[in-house]
Amino acid sequence: MAIAFAIAIAGCGGDRSPVTPTTPPPTVPSDTLKAAATAQGRLVGTAVQSSLLGNGQYSAVVSREFTYLTAEYEMKWNVHEPAPEVWSFGAGDAIVGYATSQGIRVKGHTFVWHGATPSWVNALSPPDLRAAFERHIRTVAGHYRGRIHAWDVVNEAVADDGSGLRDTVFRQKLGDGYIADAFRLARDADPQARLFYNDYGGEGTGAKANRIYDLLRGLIAAGVPIDGVGLQMHVSANNRPPDASIAANIRRLADLGLMVHISEMDVRINNVPGTQDARLEAQRATYHDIVRVCIMEPRCEAITFWGFTDAHTWINGDSPLLFDARYAPKPAYTGVLDALRGR
Ligand code: XIL
């Protein structure tokens, strides 16, 4: 559209010769997730892989539909700092540069996650890990300073059974205070970015959701700079938290003064019984209902999907996203659009 607009402006000059289009205009949907989310004052996002942004079919959907991007893996510790003080910002810069050129905001993901910690970090002594941890957050946050809407500062730090903190290398060698430390370091290094805690399995109510809530309440009470919480929302169409429990959980988190993002949504369908049409309908309903819960809650600022085409998903052997592998919108897309439109 920007190009068409530029051509239209250029065409207003002295040269009045008729312009004969050589190619038909591209067929685009009459409505988009971007338009619908923007009308609601929300961000609608997707995880992307930098290597795919040069694929025209892929980037056409990204720029048409989304207002928020997350790097699916290129802004994690194992990519950013694969060896001590060896920094690798090329892929992250490509994503941030692309987003900026399209007027799209970026969620940084993530400084501290046991799932993407390079082995050299795991092997450090406690004092050396402390130094590496501080240097990593300062360097990465400083590199992108001013260009990131929000950072997932700490990812998945609560144990799955909700009994306490997950027993990661960070907890073992730095103590439970590593979470607060990470937020303080991030705030110092990029004061503009909103700082998020991100996790899965605590979307509705339950032991893990309660433990995440207690963790965040404790951080806030201690004056730790935290602005929001991401609920990942990797769910199955036939195994998902009830809408009312997600709504209640978002409400209590919002009552702490936090922004809430649905941060990594995808909906698996392979184990839904019945026909493929029945599976796609269950997926549509799941996307619709959960996005609607977010739209009903003013502090639910963003909904990000963990990719958008079934051609590129981290879930092997399933079809969890809004577009099929040939980039055609699925019923799930209509479900999200309807929810964003308040239907
Ligand atoms: C996944 C990516 O999709 C994969 O490509 C990568 O190999 C591993 O991580 N929770 C998170 C994400 O916070 O970072 C994970 O992403 C999915 C689960």
Side-chain angles (χ1 to χ4, degrees), residues 49-73:
Q49 302 176 25
S50 67
S51 61
L52 295 170
L53 290 172
N55 168 339
Q57 212 177 11
Y58 184 93
S59 62
V61 177
V62 174
S63 60
R64 187 180 76 224
E65 300 288 349
F66 298 104
T67 62
Y68 202 30
L69 295 189
T70 309
E72 183 167 349
Y73 62 89

Side-chain angles (χ1 to χ4, degrees), residues 33-337:
L33 305 183
K34 178 194 290 210
T38 302
Q40 292 280 2
R42 316 302 171 104
L43 297 169
V44 62
T46 180
V48 293
Q49 302 176 25
S50 67
S51 61
L52 295 170
L53 290 172
N55 168 339
Q57 212 177 11
Y58 184 93
S59 62
V61 177
V62 174
S63 60
R64 187 180 76 224
E65 300 288 349
F66 298 104
T67 62
Y68 202 30
L69 295 189
T70 309
E72 183 167 349
Y73 62 89
E74 294 102 322
M75 292 170 75
K76 295 169 182 170
W77 195 328
N78 54 1
V79 176
H80 269 147
E81 194 185 5
E85 296 189 74
V86 174
W87 303 100
S88 166
F89 290 116
D93 282 340
I95 290 171
V96 175
Y98 173 84
T100 306
S101 76
Q102 301 291 325
I104 295 174
R105 296 189 208 193
V106 178
K107 164 78 89 81
H109 176 81
T110 172
F111 299 127
V112 182
W113 182 35
H114 65 279
T117 308
S119 50
W120 67 266
V121 170
N122 294 327
L124 295 173
S125 68
D128 287 349
L129 180 61
R130 163 81 46 199
F133 173 87
E134 294 183 358
R135 185 183 65 214
H136 185 79
I137 296 173
R138 282 199 189 103
T139 304
V140 176
H143 176 82
Y144 295 105
R145 181 181 170 123
R147 296 187 289 161
I148 302 292
H149 177 70
W151 266 106
D152 288 331
V153 176
V154 176
N155 196 34
E156 302 181 357
V158 169
D160 286 338
D161 64 3
S163 58
L165 293 184
R166 187 186 293 277
D167 199 21
T168 67
V169 67
F170 302 108
R171 185 186 189 204
Q172 288 165 4
K173 297 184 185 175
L174 306 180
D176 291 359
Y178 83 89
I179 297 175
D181 294 343
F183 278 90
R184 293 193 175 103
L185 287 158
R187 179 67 96 224
D188 284 349
D190 186 353
Q192 281 181 315
R194 296 159 181 214
L195 304 182
F196 275 63
Y197 175 78
N198 194 55
D199 213 330
Y200 69 89
E203 288 84 359
T205 43
K208 185 164 180 181
N210 290 344
R211 187 67 194 86
I212 292 169
Y213 176 81
D214 290 344
L215 169 69
L216 302 180
R217 191 176 54 177
L219 292 173
I220 291 165
V224 173
I226 177 169
D227 304 298
V229 53
L231 308 177
Q232 290 185 11
M233 208 65 77
H234 298 289
V235 298
S236 290
N238 61 351
N239 183 17
R240 51 160 164 143
D243 300 344
S245 76
I246 300 171
N249 195 34
I250 292 178
R251 181 93 291 276
R252 69 174 175 167
L253 292 163
D255 281 344
L256 291 175
L258 295 170
M259 283 292 182
V260 180
H261 287 180
I262 292 175
S263 56
E264 305 185 10
M265 187 169 183
D266 48 26
V267 180
R268 298 184 298 280
I269 53 172
N270 268 3
N271 55 5
V272 175
T275 62
Q276 181 65 359
D277 280 354
R279 285 189 278 276
L280 292 173
E281 166 54 22
Q283 185 177 53
R284 183 205 63 74
T286 302
Y287 271 108
H288 171 271
D289 295 354
I290 293 176
V291 171
R292 186 172 165 77
V293 167
C294 177
I295 291 301
M296 300 297 285
E297 169 52 60
R299 292 189 72 84
C300 189
E301 180 194 38
I303 302 141
T304 288
F305 307 106
W306 209 239
F308 60 91
T309 164
D310 290 336
H312 301 288
T313 163
W314 74 304
I315 309 276
N316 288 326
D318 208 312
S319 314
L321 296 171
L322 303 184
F323 292 80
D324 70 17
R326 294 186 307 186
Y327 295 85
K330 294 161 62 183
Y333 174 89
T334 308
V336 172
L337 190 59

